[in-house]
Amino acid sequence: MINLNLRKSTRIDNKIRCMIAFAALIIAMCALFCVNVFTGSADISMSEVLRVISGGVYRQTGTSATILFKIRIPRALAAMLLGGALALSGYLLQTFFHNPIAGPFVLGVSSGAKLTVALVMIFAVSRFHMVNSAVMILAAFVGSMLSLGFVLIVSHRVRQMSMLVVCGVMISYICSAVTDFIVTFADNSDIVNLHNWSMGTFSGTTMDNVRAMSVVVMSATICVFFLSKPIGAYQLGENYAQNLGVNIKLLRVALISLSGLLSACVTAFAGPVSFVGIAVPHIIKVIFHTSKPIVLIPACFLGGSIFCMLCDMIARTAFTPTELSISTVTAIFGAPVVIIVMIRRKRDEL
Amino acid sequence: MSITGDTIISAENLSVGYDKPLIRDICFALHGGEIMTLIGPNGSGKSTILKTIAGYLKKHGGDIYIGDSTIDDLSPNEKARQLSVLLTERLRADIMTCREVVEMGRYPYTGRFGLLSPADNTAVDDAIELVQMSDFAHKDFSEISDGQRQRVMLARAICQEPRILIFDEPTSYLDIYHKIIFLEILKKLTRERSIAVVVSMHELDLAEKISDYTVCVKDGGIFKFGKPQEIFCRDVIRRLFDIPEDLYAKYLSP
């Protein structure tokens, strides 16, 4: 009887823990969104912001309105959506490879996408003087899948998780080198932006971009959420999952293409953003203390949003008027997490 | 052969192997409550047989029947409700309590998001109770001993409510006490729930005690098949493992 009660109470404790953590994450996300909208290099008072926002998008013509609706709000939304997408993409890759230090950046997925996007941008800008959001996402997706294809081929040959990451990092360097080469020699005035983008930044996002990315990110996220049951079984190992009735081949294809699509969307609009994909899932697992995908999937999304909005805030405001690239900031916070994870893994193995 | 019910799993002229057939013409039929053990030297093909029955390897010929239907006719979900495995491969459990590991056994029965109904929860609790792990249910799977872990794995396999259990060397790496506990629970639940069990083992003394049938596998072939009293005798065991007469006398004679 006592045992039964004890078991029930730990089950409830975990539920309460999850609920509190979710509430805290949602509050943090809203708070950071507000901070990002209210602060910036131009001084706009809080009452001014509220007046402009309550007026709606279309009636406003003043400077404050332009800054808010053309710069700050789309940028904050981009950080929110793309941060979530990155964290989720990292979570899927870690699950797929059963590898705690996998992520779109270290496996070279981001760099592959960067290369194809750069190529398409240069081609499109020189021909049509504009680039469509959908074309960018598509280009990035092709690049992501090509990199992932290479990583998959290697992972078939070597079963060691460290080799997988080394291979990913090498792919990443090759792609980055080629991208830099292209960007350097394509010095069209229209491509000035390309340099900033190739370093990673949320600035310059338009409301149209936000619309495109929200459609892709949201639909991919919902698909991932609907896969939470088979993902939970897959985590036990392929053979056990298969015994439970999971279609392993189909699930693997779904995991790879969804994570590729999510990180492609990020690279298309913000360039490569480092360490969010690796670090956030680990932080979230520590906070929630569970492996259940049905909890971790939404939590990773929220965590990624918060992480990126926080880092973007620092990137914008730490050394005004100079802006840091987003990867500079995410690396400072994200890399230590990876080191801690690796040390803890090693200790467990001993 | 005494028949204690309907045939649950049977094989007819089954050929197994990786790239080419290794073992041919395997035939057996198990009824509810019966345990068939596979014994033989390392690398003889025990795992290959088990993996083929469990559906991890393609069979090279013959048929496997679950009840009246061949195994190929069952959908993955139907098969999951009929057949459950415990492999030598470690189950990965990152941050999971023992109960959460057992809960995964309900996978074929839960809905789209895998949420447990009250009936599912009862099945999970019963399975944990059966393997005597109730006191450890809330502990992290990574924190318990090998013997306890194997019992949790047994509970996971049971709460899948299968008619067939396939175990690959479930008692290796356990100390003698935990080997006995594990087999005692297995034997009990096999009878109570009328399950058919196919299990490979290295512990001949223990295999003799729990088997209804024993298959001797040697050099990619069936060396001998029969009731335990026909198998576990000096002559068969000595030839199965190629043990010299003097060494057998020195170490294995009672």
Side-chain angles (χ1 to χ4, degrees):
Chain A
M1 205 54 218
I2 294 165
N3 268 331
L4 253 167
N5 285 337
L6 198 113
R7 261 187 281 156
K8 269 226 171 94
S9 76
T10 51
R11 226 184 290 168
I12 291 164
D13 275 356
N14 252 343
K15 261 191 188 157
I16 292 173
R17 180 188 190 139
C18 284
M19 265 147 58
I20 293 172
F22 266 122
L25 287 182
I26 289 168
I27 291 167
M29 189 172 84
C30 297
L32 272 167
F33 182 79
C34 293
V35 171
N36 274 339
V37 172
F38 285 122
T39 59
S41 46
D43 231 344
I44 306 173
S45 72
M46 199 170 294
S47 54
E48 175 80 358
V49 172
L50 291 175
R51 194 186 59 75
V52 171
I53 289 177
S54 61
V57 190
Y58 300 103
R59 305 245 195 86
Q60 305 294 324
T61 47
T63 328
S64 320
T66 311
I67 291 175
L68 283 174
F69 288 117
K70 290 252 161 90
I71 299 174
R72 285 193 195 164
I73 292 177
R75 182 169 181 164
L77 285 173
M80 187 196 265
L81 286 165
L82 299 181
L86 262 183
L88 206 53
S89 171
Y91 172 74
L92 292 178
L93 289 174
Q94 287 171 11
T95 309
F96 182 90
F97 289 108
H98 297 294
N99 186 336
I101 46 175
F105 195 77
V106 287
L107 291 183
V109 182
S110 300
S111 306
K114 182 169 100 169
L115 176 57
T116 48
V117 171
L119 284 172
V120 168
M121 267 170 125
I122 289 167
F123 176 77
V125 168
S126 60
R127 284 286 179 83
F128 314 108
H129 300 283
M130 57 160 291
V131 189
N132 179 303
S133 294
V135 173
M136 299 254 285
I137 296 176
L138 191 69
F141 184 64
V142 171
S144 299
M145 295 317 276
L146 284 177
S147 290
L148 269 171
F150 273 115
V151 173
L152 277 174
I153 291 169
V154 173
S155 78
H156 262 287
R157 297 267 166 98
V158 289
R159 292 255 157 221
Q160 249 177 322
M161 75 175 201
S162 48
M163 282 307 295
L164 188 70
V165 174
V166 170
C167 163
V169 171
M170 292 307 134
I171 291 176
S172 167
Y173 272 109
I174 295 168
C175 292
S176 289
V178 177
T179 313
D180 287 347
F181 184 81
I182 295 168
V183 171
T184 312
F185 283 93
D187 62 347
N188 188 316
S189 58
D190 291 324
I191 303 170
V192 175
N193 272 334
L194 204 57
H195 183 70
N196 278 336
W197 166 85
S198 72
M199 303 295 289
T201 178
F202 289 118
S203 80
T205 315
T206 66
M207 230 25 181
D208 279 339
N209 291 155
V210 170
R211 255 174 238 127
M213 74 177 76
S214 61
V215 170
V216 177
V217 170
M218 280 307 161
S219 38
T221 303
I222 290 166
C223 288
V224 174
F225 190 70
F226 271 89
L227 287 176
S228 54
K229 185 183 167 186
I231 290 174
Y234 184 87
Q235 282 177 339
L236 305 176
E238 278 86 342
N239 286 338
Y240 286 106
Q242 194 184 328
N243 178 235
L244 291 170
V246 178
N247 186 336
I248 297 288
K249 273 190 191 143
L250 205 65
L251 181 65
R252 284 173 71 99
V253 171
L255 287 180
I256 279 290
S257 21
L258 284 170
S259 71
L261 183 61
L262 283 166
S263 81
C265 201
V266 178
T267 312
F269 294 109
V273 180
S274 62
F275 290 103
V276 181
I278 306 188
V280 171
H282 289 290
I283 300 171
I284 291 298
K285 275 182 196 167
V286 170
I287 295 175
F288 284 81
H289 195 79
T290 180
S291 297
K292 286 189 176 165
I294 200 162
V295 175
L296 289 181
I297 289 167
C300 278
F301 192 92
L302 288 173
S305 298
I306 292 167
F307 192 88
C308 273
M309 284 198 288
L310 184 70
C311 289
D312 192 42
M313 188 184 79
I314 294 168
R316 285 191 311 144
T317 56
F319 298 101
T320 38
T322 315
E323 260 200 30
L324 298 171
S325 82
I326 183 74
S327 282
T328 311
V329 186
T330 52
I332 288 171
F333 290 105
V337 175
V338 178
I339 295 171
I340 292 168
V341 168
M342 274 161 47
I343 292 171
R344 276 175 56 178
R345 283 271 149 176
K346 214 60 247 147
R347 208 176 46 205
D348 286 348
E349 279 164 17
L350 286 176
Chain B
M1 283 191 203
S2 69
I3 292 173
T4 57
D6 292 336
T7 304
I8 289 185
I9 183 164
S10 57
E12 275 176 20
N13 303 323
L14 178 67
S15 293
V16 304
Y18 280 84
D19 295 325
K20 52 180 198 267
L22 176 73
I23 306 176
R24 294 165 198 273
D25 294 333
I26 303 167
C27 298
F28 65 84
L30 284 181
H31 305 104
E34 289 180 332
I35 298 178
M36 181 169 84
T37 50
L38 271 58
I39 60 169
N42 282 331
S44 56
K46 299 190 295 288
S47 290
T48 314
I49 297 176
L50 292 178
K51 280 181 185 159
T52 309
I53 299 173
Y56 296 115
L57 290 176
K58 277 213 167 81
K59 57 184 166 54
H60 286 274
D63 270 314
I64 303 168
Y65 294 93
I66 293 183
D68 293 329
S69 44
T70 67
I71 209 155
D72 307 319
D73 292 339
L74 298 174
S75 74
N77 189 277
E78 283 169 334
K79 212 171 112 191
R81 292 173 184 224
Q82 298 284 343
L83 187 148
S84 182
V85 298
L86 202 167
L87 309 163
T88 43
E89 171 194 318
R90 273 263 171 109
L91 179 133
R92 295 166 194 266
D94 194 8
I95 314 170
M96 289 176 92
T97 62
C98 294
R99 191 178 200 281
E100 283 172 343
V101 171
V102 179
E103 282 172 5
M104 289 311 295
R106 298 305 296 170
Y107 188 96
Y109 302 94
T110 55
R112 170 125 284 298
F113 289 104
L115 301 174
L116 300 182
S117 68
D120 289 323
N121 272 315
T122 315
V124 172
D125 286 332
D126 286 351
I128 296 174
E129 187 88 44
L130 192 75
V131 300
Q132 301 157 27
M133 286 295 288
S134 302
D135 294 347
F136 297 86
H138 60 278
K139 281 217 168 183
D140 267 12
F141 188 67
S142 54
E143 283 174 1
I144 57 174
S145 74
D146 280 342
Q148 292 167 336
R149 207 171 288 156
Q150 210 64 344
R151 268 147 70 193
V152 172
M153 293 294 292
L154 178 59
R156 189 207 67 89
I158 296 168
C159 94
Q160 210 170 316
E161 292 180 354
R163 294 166 70 205
I164 301 142
L165 288 172
I166 309 285
F167 290 174
D168 198 0
E169 298 181 15
T171 47
S172 300
Y173 313 113
L174 303 189
D175 62 45
I176 185 68
Y177 171 72
H178 282 101
K179 281 184 208 283
I180 294 171
I181 288 279
F182 184 91
L183 292 176
E184 177 62 19
I185 295 166
L186 178 63
K187 184 104 186 166
K188 192 170 152 230
L189 90 97
T190 308
R191 298 281 186 267
E192 278 175 6
R193 305 200 176 190
S194 193
I195 295 172
V197 179
V198 184
V199 53
S200 67
M201 283 177 78
H202 275 300
E203 301 86 350
L204 299 180
D205 43 346
L206 299 176
E208 181 179 4
K209 305 246 160 47
I210 64 155
S211 307
D212 294 296
Y213 301 101
T214 300
V215 183
C216 302
V217 189
K218 185 183 180 184
D219 298 335
I222 303 293
F223 179 73
K224 198 170 165 64
F225 173 81
K227 297 237 166 204
Q229 52 268 33
E230 304 162 27
I231 303 288
F232 294 96
C233 55
R234 183 190 186 100
D235 193 39
V236 177
I237 296 299
R238 217 175 55 71
R239 283 194 292 135
L240 175 61
F241 290 94
D242 290 322
I243 307 169
E245 186 82 53
D246 54 328
L247 287 179
Y248 190 96
K250 191 172 169 190
Y251 288 100
L252 294 172
S253 286

